[in-house]
Amino acid sequence: MMIPAAGPVAASSQQNTQDPADTTAEAPPKQVATAMERLSRAARLIADVRIGADRLLEALFLAAESPYQSNKSIQLVLKEESAMRKHFQDLRSLGKQLEDSGVLNGSVKLRGNSWGLHMPLVCPDGAVVAYAWKRQLAGQAGASAVDRTRLALKAFTDQKRRFFPHLEDEAFTQCSEGELGVAKKPCFSHGLLPGHKDELREERTLPDIINSLQCIAPDIKIYTYQRLDWLKRASSLSSLPSDHLVDSSNEYGLQSSSNSTSVLGNAASISEDQVAVIELLSPSVFRAVVSLHPTGSMSPDAVAFFSTDEGGSYVHARGRSVFHVFWHVTEYADKALQYFQSTNVDTSLSLILRWICSYQTLFTKVCSKCERLLMMDESLALILPPVHRAYQNTSASNSHPNQLTASDRGHGSDFIFAYHIGCSNNDL
Amino acid sequence: MTVKWLMHWQPKPGTTLSTQILTEACQCVESIGGQKDGRWRSVLTFYKPMQRDALVPVDHPRDFLGLALQEQPAKYYFILRPNRIVLEADASIQVIMEKLQSYKARVTLNFEGFQYKLGDFQLRVGKCVPSASEALRGIMMEVEYIPLSSIDKSRQVLEEFFDIWQETISKKSLPGHFMHIESNFADYGLQDRYTSHHTAVQYATCMAQLIAAVRC
């Protein structure tokens, strides 16, 4: 339970603590104030209990260390014991009062004299709020200090990543994962993420990377763009009439050639040092946009996923898909990108592109943990397919043929495990 | 266009339909997290050819359906099941048909109910009521998975959703179950990319079942 460091004490004098019948006659704001004050007293008592327990332990420790001072420790123990007993009694009576006034249960609501206000709530995460509806007003399901801090940290790391990508280092990424408390520990991956760094070192240029990707994931189309060209293309995507597209792959082929992009290693139209955006298109499944910074380099700085039907100026590497499934994949992709950048900057582009290709099975591959495709995520109240793909690699990873399903073999080297959001928390 | 599956309620033989089932279905949707999003309405019309001269044999198609969909207010769809034809026309065709008097509306069915949003899914649950009477003829559901528009790629997702839905609704122990019938879109010359034509075909396929289940 969350204990405030110094419980706020009501300015009013001590209430009459022995008369729960009082509460029914008082107006709600006074009930609320009384209840808040009682809760803070309860918090103080609990703190006292904790201190008492510490003292008891200290006394026992003392007794263990110096047996000839046992008398002194006995006295300490006895003193603490009576103090603790008193604390517990106080706590018990306070708890009873709180219960009677309906704070710890819903009895006020049942009695129907709440005058439209709800009694102070002790929420499941331990936060205490005066009015339940305040949490809804805060706009979050859990608007406690813990959640606000978590959100602030996330906003800070997002902005830091965006404006100061060169300040990223391993210590920070590990630290932020722990603090955010949402550290996902993905399982080992094979195939698309090569176990041998040598394989990746051979891919020195962008065309090399694209060529090797074509071999690994032949169903995925890869296009490169200059930054402005991508914005034009993104806006034009929305103007494609959806009902009249008969053969979508043809459309994209036409579009790309008119935008002077390089397709499949044909780097004649734009030179390597002008490439700022890489598009990976898995027809009818997803479109991923990767941004390179600085232009012409091989360091990715952002990635985002979208539906193939989405179009408009928001479709870029820092954009947000309107669909929940792609938005969650994008969020997870941010973490993967951070991980790749922190472990080996030189190969991060190759790694992230290969990892993106593993999502071609987003709507067909079942979760490696629960073996289902769709899962209702209780905290998000959404039904989602497995949106997480493992990205951590171990140097000793080998592919285990007996773990592959038939669909895995069909996709070539797509051995990466997929997880639902809820499932990936508990593996390893 | 996003991929949609149509499901209709198949009552247990010997039991009757009731609006209770509809209410229970709506509650089920809300229990899995659906947010009510508005109402929906589609109108399906059975046409029969008008015979000026009773003696002359008629070679007009018999099973001729017209469908007005809420998501395409400017269009009207015709389905000829025996000939496997589906056609999209402007909504004003209905006026033209009335003027021509070559076909008369035999029965008009109204599908109406509520629309729910459940993350990336959109659900519609409604009843099928003839315009002439108030009798309940059937209960229909539409499930749409918005991020995808390829029928092939979305098949597994919709199948699993259908399983989840069946599990949820079976807890209510209602007399009957929802059924999804696979329509053969290729027969009608339709592609893998989902369109309102596909919806029209699914309605036509459903009608045969619905009529068999409840005597019209």
Side-chain angles (χ1 to χ4, degrees), chain B residues 63-76:
Chain B
D63 191 356
F64 184 28
L65 297 172
L67 182 62
L69 293 173
Q70 185 174 327
E71 55 263 24
Q72 302 274 18
K75 303 270 182 236
Y76 198 71

Side-chain angles (χ1 to χ4, degrees), chain B residues 68-87:
Chain B
L69 293 173
Q70 185 174 327
E71 55 263 24
Q72 302 274 18
K75 303 270 182 236
Y76 198 71
Y77 294 87
F78 291 114
I79 310 115
L80 284 153
R81 275 196 49 218
N83 309 62
R84 303 275 189 266
I85 295 175
V86 60
L87 180 71

Side-chain angles (χ1 to χ4, degrees), chain B residues 45-46 87-88 131 148 159 171 207 210-211 213:
Chain B
T45 314
F46 287 83
L87 180 71
E88 179 187 273
S131 57
L148 293 176
E159 264 172 14
K171 291 188 191 135
M207 278 303 102
L210 211 64
I211 293 170

